Structure formats: C-alpha cells, structure tokens
Amino acid sequence: MRQLAAGLVLSGLLLAGCAAPPQAWQAVQPTACARLQWLGSATLARDEPIDGATTGGISGLDYDARLGDYVAISDDRSARGPARWMRLRIEQLDAGQRAGPNPWQAQVTEVHPLLDAEGRWLRPRHAAPATQPVPDPEAIRLLPDGGLLWTDEGDPGRGFGTSLVKADAQGRQLARWFHPFKDEAGVPGLRPNFGFEGLAVTPDGQQAWLALEAPLRQDGPRASAGSAGAPVRISLVSLDDGRLLRQIAYQPDAVPAASWGPLRTREVNGISEILPDGPGHLLVLERSYSPGHGFGARLYRIGLDAPDTLALASFTQTPPQVAVKQLVADLSTVQRGRLDNMEAMSWGPPLPDGTRVLVFASDDNFNPSQASQILITAYRPSPPCAP
C-alpha cells in the first residue's frame, strides 16, 4: 500500500502513546492454534531491471506447482513501467553454494505487463481516459486452467470501485467485475487505497474470497492504536459472473503501537492477504504500520462458517457477529531482524516429511529504506486449531 511509504520519512520523530479500550464488537483475544518455523529468508535485488520494468512493489504471490516457481504482482500504477506481473524463483541452496547460514535465495526471472481486453498496457493516471480506471494491483492467484486472477484496489476519485480481474495465462483481461459497495443512499463506501487486498481461490476454482483491507465508510472507523475499529468484509464471489454470493465480517486488531500527534492518521492495521487452509478455513494476514515504530504482521486462522453479512447495509446500524480468530504467529517473532511491509502470502511446495511451507513477501513501496523480503516458513498446525 503506497501511502505507508510517506510515513517512513517521518518515523524517527515520533513517540509511543497510550491505547484506549477496544470497541464493543472486537472479537475475544484468540489463542494460538499453530506455529510457524523459520526456514530462511531472502531479499530480491532492488529495482532489478527486467524487460524494461523495475521489480519492486510486490503485493501478491502464488505458487505454480506445474513450473515450480511463483507468480507475483507489483502495485506500481504504471508509473515505473507497465502495470505488471512477474515470475520468481525461490530456491534452497546446497551447502556449498551458501553464503552464511541462510539456505535460500530469490530472484525475479520474468516480467509481463497486465493487459486490458484489447491486449494493451494499462495506462497511468496522466494517460488514462475517463472510461478506464488507473491500475492499482494488489493480489494475484493462479487458476486451475493456468489463467490469472488479480485484484485492483480501485480508483474511487475517478468513480471506479475495487475490482476483480480474470485474465488468460499471458495477463490479458477476460473479465473485470467492479464492486463499489454503496451504502443505503447509493453512495460508494470504499475508502481510497483500502479496496480488495486479499484474494483466495476455492479448491474447485469456481469461486474466490475477496478481502477488503479496511472497513467501508458505512461500517465504521479504521483501526488505530486506540481502537480496533470496525469489522472488515470478506466476500465470496462467483468466477463465472463476479456476483457476490455471501460475506463474513472479520475484526482486525488495533494498531499495535501509537504514533505521536497528527501523524496518528498514518497508523494502519488491516488485511493484507488471505489464503485457503482447507475447505472450511482461511488464513488472514494482518499488516500494521505506525510512524516511529515501523511495520508489524500477524497471521490468524478463521472459520468460514461465520454468519452471512451480505444483506447488512451498515455495520454501524447492525453490528455483525464476526468470525472467530485463532492466532497462528506474530511474524516479528519469526523473521530474524527487521520485519518489512508484508503484503503477500502463498503456500509453497511441501517439505520432504509433508509439512506445508508458507511463504511471505513484502512490498518495498519502491522506497530505498525498505526491502523486498521473502520469508519462508514451515506451517505446523497444533491444538487448539479447529478441524
């Protein structure tokens, strides 16, 4: 999310503050139901030029079992090259190839433009006609047929809601479905830069879960250090026609650390990615930022049997029952050293004993003070994880 980069410049000026009691609709603090074991990490080369485009801004990641590599998406709005998706190799090195104890390396191998329905590059703000939104890619998943599915946070200032795009294997748009999330008065409720941030395809490839990063305006305030804010909507959509089928409410945490004075408006905590964990559960990655304190990330597990909130026009008028959260890990205790802006998450190939591998990637915001981190972990469920 690009707005985080501006806050980093002023981060050294801030002091911690005190937190207020959480709002009444906040879920009970969950107990840990699994753990992540650090396997290694890597950093992508900064602004590595491939095919005429820089490679930073990774906001989505997905494993391609057929080719043994990963697809990723950049949140560049066609400003440093065409809006684009990439292929990455994330590999474990033999002992003789390692420089130190870390056994992993990561490298971008291909860069491809995202294309509209006519096969053209997506245009930047200064060149986009009024009939087209400025691209703002955030998440990417592979479909069973080899096609791509990606989300766009939207362009509310120009009248476009957040959207889901289905594309072919070359990145050419096949369908695009916009969701303005209007309130009862017909006014779009999407906050700028807080649209569809998380994307998870169901096992049958026929539907997908889409997570907003933050609450809609009609649902209540965003999270801050003093409050968890309002619940966030996670919607199930049909990949045939883009219809919303059902929806659940998710309660993010409050921002872990308070900033000082007017820069408290830069505090952020919300959903940055989601991932299926079996047919009945999602993993939810919450990413936070506080000027003066930096980034944080926590991984939770939720059940998909929470009540349907699709018919609720406003959470402030009708507070929903939120999904039950089970803590998996605070990533700051898993990653060795500073944790960056974790926005992407994917399953990887399993370990030889069958243990699932979970990979995270950070968005460097094209900021020299940040990095494109790749974090490789082993995901080990344990009681009291729900079946």
Side-chain angles (χ1 to χ4, degrees), residues 94-117:
D94 295 331
Q97 298 176 295
R98 301 176 188 174
N102 184 18
W104 294 86
Q105 72 173 7
Q107 182 180 15
V108 175
T109 59
E110 300 176 20
V111 177
H112 302 277
L114 295 167
L115 305 172
D116 66 14

PDB file of all heavy atoms in Angstrom, residues 94-117:
ATOM      1  N   ASP A  94      22.296 -25.572  -2.072  1.00  0.00           N
ATOM      2  CA  ASP A  94      23.137 -26.614  -1.498  1.00  0.00           C
ATOM      3  C   ASP A  94      24.138 -25.983  -0.547  1.00  0.00           C
ATOM      4  O   ASP A  94      24.474 -24.792  -0.657  1.00  0.00           O
ATOM      5  CB  ASP A  94      23.880 -27.368  -2.609  1.00  0.00           C
ATOM      6  CG  ASP A  94      22.924 -28.134  -3.513  1.00  0.00           C
ATOM      7  OD1 ASP A  94      21.851 -28.535  -3.021  1.00  0.00           O
ATOM      8  OD2 ASP A  94      23.250 -28.317  -4.704  1.00  0.00           O
ATOM      9  N   ALA A  95      24.644 -26.779   0.369  1.00  0.00           N
ATOM     10  CA  ALA A  95      25.548 -26.254   1.391  1.00  0.00           C
ATOM     11  C   ALA A  95      26.751 -25.548   0.781  1.00  0.00           C
ATOM     12  O   ALA A  95      27.211 -24.509   1.286  1.00  0.00           O
ATOM     13  CB  ALA A  95      26.005 -27.389   2.310  1.00  0.00           C
ATOM     14  N   GLY A  96      27.281 -26.047  -0.314  1.00  0.00           N
ATOM     15  CA  GLY A  96      28.450 -25.439  -0.924  1.00  0.00           C
ATOM     16  C   GLY A  96      28.196 -24.108  -1.599  1.00  0.00           C
ATOM     17  O   GLY A  96      29.137 -23.372  -1.909  1.00  0.00           O
ATOM     18  N   GLN A  97      26.914 -23.784  -1.850  1.00  0.00           N
ATOM     19  CA  GLN A  97      26.572 -22.531  -2.524  1.00  0.00           C
ATOM     20  C   GLN A  97      26.184 -21.424  -1.550  1.00  0.00           C
ATOM     21  O   GLN A  97      26.013 -20.278  -1.957  1.00  0.00           O
ATOM     22  CB  GLN A  97      25.395 -22.767  -3.485  1.00  0.00           C
ATOM     23  CG  GLN A  97      25.690 -23.762  -4.592  1.00  0.00           C
ATOM     24  CD  GLN A  97      24.445 -24.010  -5.435  1.00  0.00           C
ATOM     25  OE1 GLN A  97      23.437 -24.540  -4.966  1.00  0.00           O
ATOM     26  NE2 GLN A  97      24.517 -23.618  -6.702  1.00  0.00           N
ATOM     27  N   ARG A  98      26.048 -21.746  -0.289  1.00  0.00           N
ATOM     28  CA  ARG A  98      25.530 -20.782   0.674  1.00  0.00           C
ATOM     29  C   ARG A  98      26.593 -19.781   1.108  1.00  0.00           C
ATOM     30  O   ARG A  98      27.744 -20.134   1.292  1.00  0.00           O
ATOM     31  CB  ARG A  98      24.976 -21.503   1.900  1.00  0.00           C
ATOM     32  CG  ARG A  98      23.865 -22.477   1.596  1.00  0.00           C
ATOM     33  CD  ARG A  98      23.437 -23.232   2.840  1.00  0.00           C
ATOM     34  NE  ARG A  98      22.495 -24.299   2.522  1.00  0.00           N
ATOM     35  CZ  ARG A  98      22.042 -25.186   3.400  1.00  0.00           C
ATOM     36  NH1 ARG A  98      22.449 -25.116   4.666  1.00  0.00           N
ATOM     37  NH2 ARG A  98      21.197 -26.125   3.016  1.00  0.00           N
ATOM     38  N   ALA A  99      26.132 -18.540   1.296  1.00  0.00           N
ATOM     39  CA  ALA A  99      26.969 -17.502   1.889  1.00  0.00           C
ATOM     40  C   ALA A  99      26.442 -17.245   3.287  1.00  0.00           C
ATOM     41  O   ALA A  99      25.570 -16.410   3.497  1.00  0.00           O
ATOM     42  CB  ALA A  99      26.932 -16.233   1.048  1.00  0.00           C
ATOM     43  N   GLY A 100      26.911 -18.015   4.263  1.00  0.00           N
ATOM     44  CA  GLY A 100      26.380 -17.922   5.612  1.00  0.00           C
ATOM     45  C   GLY A 100      25.342 -19.000   5.865  1.00  0.00           C
ATOM     46  O   GLY A 100      25.149 -19.916   5.044  1.00  0.00           O
ATOM     47  N   PRO A 101      24.630 -18.903   6.992  1.00  0.00           N
ATOM     48  CA  PRO A 101      23.708 -19.978   7.379  1.00  0.00           C
ATOM     49  C   PRO A 101      22.393 -20.009   6.612  1.00  0.00           C
ATOM     50  O   PRO A 101      21.695 -21.019   6.622  1.00  0.00           O
ATOM     51  CB  PRO A 101      23.457 -19.693   8.864  1.00  0.00           C
ATOM     52  CG  PRO A 101      23.647 -18.208   8.988  1.00  0.00           C
ATOM     53  CD  PRO A 101      24.742 -17.859   8.028  1.00  0.00           C
ATOM     54  N   ASN A 102      22.025 -18.907   5.957  1.00  0.00           N
ATOM     55  CA  ASN A 102      20.732 -18.845   5.277  1.00  0.00           C
ATOM     56  C   ASN A 102      20.762 -19.691   3.999  1.00  0.00           C
ATOM     57  O   ASN A 102      21.574 -19.438   3.110  1.00  0.00           O
ATOM     58  CB  ASN A 102      20.386 -17.393   4.945  1.00  0.00           C
ATOM     59  CG  ASN A 102      19.005 -17.256   4.323  1.00  0.00           C
ATOM     60  OD1 ASN A 102      18.183 -18.157   4.427  1.00  0.00           O
ATOM     61  ND2 ASN A 102      18.754 -16.139   3.687  1.00  0.00           N
ATOM     62  N   PRO A 103      19.876 -20.682   3.865  1.00  0.00           N
ATOM     63  CA  PRO A 103      19.948 -21.585   2.703  1.00  0.00           C
ATOM     64  C   PRO A 103      19.101 -21.166   1.510  1.00  0.00           C
ATOM     65  O   PRO A 103      18.947 -21.956   0.579  1.00  0.00           O
ATOM     66  CB  PRO A 103      19.427 -22.896   3.290  1.00  0.00           C
ATOM     67  CG  PRO A 103      18.408 -22.475   4.299  1.00  0.00           C
ATOM     68  CD  PRO A 103      18.936 -21.176   4.887  1.00  0.00           C
ATOM     69  N   TRP A 104      18.533 -19.956   1.494  1.00  0.00           N
ATOM     70  CA  TRP A 104      17.559 -19.604   0.461  1.00  0.00           C
ATOM     71  C   TRP A 104      18.026 -18.421  -0.378  1.00  0.00           C
ATOM     72  O   TRP A 104      18.727 -17.528   0.097  1.00  0.00           O
ATOM     73  CB  TRP A 104      16.211 -19.270   1.095  1.00  0.00           C
ATOM     74  CG  TRP A 104      15.573 -20.440   1.765  1.00  0.00           C
ATOM     75  CD1 TRP A 104      15.784 -20.861   3.050  1.00  0.00           C
ATOM     76  CD2 TRP A 104      14.658 -21.363   1.191  1.00  0.00           C
ATOM     77  NE1 TRP A 104      15.056 -21.998   3.320  1.00  0.00           N
ATOM     78  CE2 TRP A 104      14.342 -22.330   2.199  1.00  0.00           C
ATOM     79  CE3 TRP A 104      14.056 -21.488  -0.054  1.00  0.00           C
ATOM     80  CZ2 TRP A 104      13.464 -23.382   1.978  1.00  0.00           C
ATOM     81  CZ3 TRP A 104      13.172 -22.536  -0.280  1.00  0.00           C
ATOM     82  CH2 TRP A 104      12.882 -23.469   0.729  1.00  0.00           C
ATOM     83  N   GLN A 105      17.568 -18.410  -1.624  1.00  0.00           N
ATOM     84  CA  GLN A 105      17.741 -17.258  -2.494  1.00  0.00           C
ATOM     85  C   GLN A 105      16.463 -17.055  -3.301  1.00  0.00           C
ATOM     86  O   GLN A 105      15.704 -18.001  -3.530  1.00  0.00           O
ATOM     87  CB  GLN A 105      18.932 -17.419  -3.434  1.00  0.00           C
ATOM     88  CG  GLN A 105      18.736 -18.431  -4.547  1.00  0.00           C
ATOM     89  CD  GLN A 105      19.877 -18.425  -5.550  1.00  0.00           C
ATOM     90  OE1 GLN A 105      20.878 -17.752  -5.359  1.00  0.00           O
ATOM     91  NE2 GLN A 105      19.721 -19.171  -6.638  1.00  0.00           N
ATOM     92  N   ALA A 106      16.219 -15.825  -3.731  1.00  0.00           N
ATOM     93  CA  ALA A 106      15.039 -15.479  -4.532  1.00  0.00           C
ATOM     94  C   ALA A 106      15.458 -14.553  -5.665  1.00  0.00           C
ATOM     95  O   ALA A 106      16.301 -13.678  -5.476  1.00  0.00           O
ATOM     96  CB  ALA A 106      13.979 -14.815  -3.660  1.00  0.00           C
ATOM     97  N   GLN A 107      14.837 -14.758  -6.818  1.00  0.00           N
ATOM     98  CA  GLN A 107      15.191 -13.965  -7.990  1.00  0.00           C
ATOM     99  C   GLN A 107      13.992 -13.845  -8.916  1.00  0.00           C
ATOM    100  O   GLN A 107      13.277 -14.822  -9.153  1.00  0.00           O
ATOM    101  CB  GLN A 107      16.356 -14.619  -8.740  1.00  0.00           C
ATOM    102  CG  GLN A 107      16.828 -13.846  -9.963  1.00  0.00           C
ATOM    103  CD  GLN A 107      17.977 -14.543 -10.676  1.00  0.00           C
ATOM    104  OE1 GLN A 107      18.236 -15.722 -10.422  1.00  0.00           O
ATOM    105  NE2 GLN A 107      18.664 -13.841 -11.556  1.00  0.00           N
ATOM    106  N   VAL A 108      13.762 -12.645  -9.422  1.00  0.00           N
ATOM    107  CA  VAL A 108      12.751 -12.430 -10.455  1.00  0.00           C
ATOM    108  C   VAL A 108      13.318 -12.909 -11.782  1.00  0.00           C
ATOM    109  O   VAL A 108      14.428 -12.529 -12.172  1.00  0.00           O
ATOM    110  CB  VAL A 108      12.355 -10.947 -10.541  1.00  0.00           C
ATOM    111  CG1 VAL A 108      11.388 -10.714 -11.707  1.00  0.00           C
ATOM    112  CG2 VAL A 108      11.716 -10.487  -9.234  1.00  0.00           C
ATOM    113  N   THR A 109      12.576 -13.751 -12.474  1.00  0.00           N
ATOM    114  CA  THR A 109      13.058 -14.314 -13.739  1.00  0.00           C
ATOM    115  C   THR A 109      12.331 -13.763 -14.963  1.00  0.00           C
ATOM    116  O   THR A 109      12.886 -13.767 -16.061  1.00  0.00           O
ATOM    117  CB  THR A 109      12.927 -15.843 -13.732  1.00  0.00           C
ATOM    118  OG1 THR A 109      11.543 -16.193 -13.525  1.00  0.00           O
ATOM    119  CG2 THR A 109      13.770 -16.458 -12.619  1.00  0.00           C
ATOM    120  N   GLU A 110      11.096 -13.321 -14.784  1.00  0.00           N
ATOM    121  CA  GLU A 110      10.315 -12.792 -15.905  1.00  0.00           C
ATOM    122  C   GLU A 110       9.440 -11.654 -15.415  1.00  0.00           C
ATOM    123  O   GLU A 110       8.983 -11.667 -14.270  1.00  0.00           O
ATOM    124  CB  GLU A 110       9.410 -13.874 -16.515  1.00  0.00           C
ATOM    125  CG  GLU A 110      10.104 -15.092 -17.059  1.00  0.00           C
ATOM    126  CD  GLU A 110       9.113 -16.136 -17.557  1.00  0.00           C
ATOM    127  OE1 GLU A 110       7.945 -15.772 -17.833  1.00  0.00           O
ATOM    128  OE2 GLU A 110       9.492 -17.319 -17.647  1.00  0.00           O
ATOM    129  N   VAL A 111       9.191 -10.695 -16.297  1.00  0.00           N
ATOM    130  CA  VAL A 111       8.246  -9.608 -16.027  1.00  0.00           C
ATOM    131  C   VAL A 111       7.316  -9.487 -17.223  1.00  0.00           C
ATOM    132  O   VAL A 111       7.775  -9.444 -18.372  1.00  0.00           O
ATOM    133  CB  VAL A 111       8.967  -8.265 -15.779  1.00  0.00           C
ATOM    134  CG1 VAL A 111       7.951  -7.150 -15.569  1.00  0.00           C
ATOM    135  CG2 VAL A 111       9.897  -8.363 -14.574  1.00  0.00           C
ATOM    136  N   HIS A 112       5.995  -9.450 -16.965  1.00  0.00           N
ATOM    137  CA  HIS A 112       4.998  -9.380 -18.032  1.00  0.00           C
ATOM    138  C   HIS A 112       3.992  -8.273 -17.727  1.00  0.00           C
ATOM    139  O   HIS A 112       3.564  -8.126 -16.582  1.00  0.00           O
ATOM    140  CB  HIS A 112       4.245 -10.707 -18.158  1.00  0.00           C
ATOM    141  CG  HIS A 112       5.132 -11.879 -18.419  1.00  0.00           C
ATOM    142  ND1 HIS A 112       5.583 -12.217 -19.671  1.00  0.00           N
ATOM    143  CD2 HIS A 112       5.663 -12.805 -17.564  1.00  0.00           C
ATOM    144  CE1 HIS A 112       6.348 -13.295 -19.593  1.00  0.00           C
ATOM    145  NE2 HIS A 112       6.412 -13.669 -18.329  1.00  0.00           N
ATOM    146  N   PRO A 113       3.564  -7.504 -18.719  1.00  0.00           N
ATOM    147  CA  PRO A 113       2.555  -6.468 -18.474  1.00  0.00           C
ATOM    148  C   PRO A 113       1.174  -7.071 -18.255  1.00  0.00           C
ATOM    149  O   PRO A 113       0.833  -8.112 -18.834  1.00  0.00           O
ATOM    150  CB  PRO A 113       2.590  -5.631 -19.758  1.00  0.00           C
ATOM    151  CG  PRO A 113       3.073  -6.578 -20.812  1.00  0.00           C
ATOM    152  CD  PRO A 113       4.030  -7.511 -20.127  1.00  0.00           C
ATOM    153  N   LEU A 114       0.407  -6.416 -17.399  1.00  0.00           N
ATOM    154  CA  LEU A 114      -1.025  -6.705 -17.315  1.00  0.00           C
ATOM    155  C   LEU A 114      -1.704  -5.987 -18.476  1.00  0.00           C
ATOM    156  O   LEU A 114      -1.406  -4.819 -18.752  1.00  0.00           O
ATOM    157  CB  LEU A 114      -1.575  -6.209 -15.974  1.00  0.00           C
ATOM    158  CG  LEU A 114      -1.038  -6.913 -14.736  1.00  0.00           C
ATOM    159  CD1 LEU A 114      -1.416  -6.130 -13.478  1.00  0.00           C
ATOM    160  CD2 LEU A 114      -1.559  -8.339 -14.642  1.00  0.00           C
ATOM    161  N   LEU A 115      -2.623  -6.671 -19.131  1.00  0.00           N
ATOM    162  CA  LEU A 115      -3.203  -6.145 -20.364  1.00  0.00           C
ATOM    163  C   LEU A 115      -4.708  -5.984 -20.226  1.00  0.00           C
ATOM    164  O   LEU A 115      -5.364  -6.721 -19.482  1.00  0.00           O
ATOM    165  CB  LEU A 115      -2.896  -7.090 -21.523  1.00  0.00           C
ATOM    166  CG  LEU A 115      -1.410  -7.424 -21.744  1.00  0.00           C
ATOM    167  CD1 LEU A 115      -1.266  -8.522 -22.799  1.00  0.00           C
ATOM    168  CD2 LEU A 115      -0.631  -6.181 -22.133  1.00  0.00           C
ATOM    169  N   ASP A 116      -5.271  -5.026 -20.966  1.00  0.00           N
ATOM    170  CA  ASP A 116      -6.718  -4.884 -20.999  1.00  0.00           C
ATOM    171  C   ASP A 116      -7.313  -5.882 -21.983  1.00  0.00           C
ATOM    172  O   ASP A 116      -6.607  -6.729 -22.545  1.00  0.00           O
ATOM    173  CB  ASP A 116      -7.126  -3.446 -21.319  1.00  0.00           C
ATOM    174  CG  ASP A 116      -6.733  -2.988 -22.726  1.00  0.00           C
ATOM    175  OD1 ASP A 116      -6.377  -3.839 -23.574  1.00  0.00           O
ATOM    176  OD2 ASP A 116      -6.776  -1.771 -22.978  1.00  0.00           O
ATOM    177  N   ALA A 117      -8.619  -5.799 -22.195  1.00  0.00           N
ATOM    178  CA  ALA A 117      -9.299  -6.779 -23.042  1.00  0.00           C
ATOM    179  C   ALA A 117      -8.836  -6.725 -24.495  1.00  0.00           C
ATOM    180  O   ALA A 117      -8.977  -7.705 -25.240  1.00  0.00           O
ATOM    181  CB  ALA A 117     -10.811  -6.562 -22.975  1.00  0.00           C
TER     182      ALA A 117
END
